[in-house]
Amino acid sequence: DPGFVSFLGAVPRTMDYVEKCWRPSILPTYRLSTQGQCQMALENRLIPAFGQRRLCALTRFEVQSYFGKLLKQLAPSSVAVT
């Protein structure tokens, strides 16, 4: 989103995007139980794995590989990718 890039002045890190855009605008649209699950996934998995990376630097292969590894560690129902 070009507006988002100009808002931050550069392509944001994943954690900056989550904090400044996703949490305030998207997260509240989910049911409370889903919000809790999303918060846990972000804090325990996604931010540690990708938080310092710029969004433009993440590749599809990296993300798919990450979720593939999670599927080996966790029950498939807890690694829902939508």
Side-chain angles (χ1 to χ4, degrees):
D1 177 7
F4 177 72
V5 172
S6 65
F7 168 73
L8 290 177
V11 176
R13 294 178 302 167
T14 302
M15 61 192 281
D16 296 330
Y17 172 78
V18 167
E19 292 303 319
K20 292 183 170 77
C21 293
W22 192 85
R23 277 192 214 249
S25 62
I26 304 300
L27 187 63
T29 67
Y30 295 160
R31 294 184 322 224
L32 286 178
S33 60
T34 303
Q35 287 181 31
Q37 292 171 347
C38 288
Q39 294 276 35
M40 285 179 43
L42 283 166
E43 293 166 15
N44 296 330
R45 304 267 181 207
L46 298 175
I47 296 299
F50 301 114
Q52 295 297 323
R53 303 281 307 282
R54 298 217 177 266
L55 289 174
C56 64
L58 292 177
T59 67
R60 178 179 294 199
F61 178 78
E62 275 182 288
V63 174
Q64 288 176 336
S65 295
Y66 176 77
F67 281 99
K69 289 175 189 170
L70 280 183
L71 282 169
K72 292 178 182 174
Q73 299 170 5
L74 305 171
S77 61
S78 63
V79 188
V81 180
T82 59

